[in-house]
Amino acid sequence: MTFILGLTGGIGSGKSAASHWFETQGISVVDADVVAREVVSKGQVALTQIQQRFGDWVMLDNGELDRRALRDLIFKDSTARHDLEQITHPAIRNAIIQQLAAAQSPYVILVSPLLFETEQHQLTQRTLLIDATEALQVQRASQRDQQNIEQIHRIIASQMSREQKQQQADDIVLNDGELTHLYAHLAPLHQHYLTLARAKCP
Ligand code: ADP
């Protein structure tokens, strides 16, 4: 059994920046957002289930999911959202478990914006929160994605509050300086996780 670290943080907090740094240290990263897209890609069982539940209009002509049409529906219809999650959440969880188990590094990271919200933290032995003020989140996310500010505020409002995440996380890094400052805080944590991983599977 590999030691699994859950890494989370709100939109624009610096999760990807942190997980890329861990990758440079030879640590494998499973990204829940990537898995969520993979499980509804062309030919996957979950995509067939979505088509059966919602109808052919959720499919594009090329056999891929019309993500925008489905997003618009679940935004308005909470039953549809529930039904969609009943299909996707178990598929995502199973795929995450498989990818974590296949990882070969001394420990492995599960990065997820909704680690606590979706109970994915139960798959991990320890959690690390990359934390940032809302102002920094908005500034960084808007520069990165060219998304409008209201949209980013909406996403932040839909995620668990900073305070709740701070209470749940084992470790917290406040990403409020340069990237070098972030990496300097991650380095001793990485050494700690290596020690914990060795203790778990000597
Ligand atoms: P998340 O994955 O949490 O949504 P990212 O890691 O993608 O956030 O960070 C959002 C944007 O801000 C990216 O363009 C990233 O390069 C940048 N960024 C993150 N942390 C810092 C920092 N400490 N200084 C400057 N830019 C940063």
Side-chain angles (χ1 to χ4, degrees), residues 10-17 140 144 175 177-179:
I11 180 173
S13 61
K15 286 181 301 299
S16 305
R140 288 177 186 152
R144 181 191 58 190
N175 180 21
E178 304 281 316
L179 279 169

Side-chain angles (χ1 to χ4, degrees), residues 8-20 111 130 136-137 139-141 143-145 175-182:
T8 193
I11 180 173
S13 61
K15 286 181 301 299
S16 305
S19 58
H20 290 151
V111 55
I130 306 298
L136 271 175
Q137 284 183 267
Q139 184 194 325
R140 288 177 186 152
Q143 277 169 6
R144 181 191 58 190
D145 305 336
N175 180 21
D176 63 349
E178 304 281 316
L179 279 169
T180 48
H181 170 92
L182 171 67

Side-chain angles (χ1 to χ4, degrees), residues 13 56 82-83 89 94 96 102 107 115 146 149 153 201-202:
S13 61
D56 292 341
H82 173 80
D83 289 355
H89 282 185
N94 289 337
I96 284 175
Y107 66 94
L115 188 78
Q146 317 295 318
I149 307 268
H153 277 294
C201 17

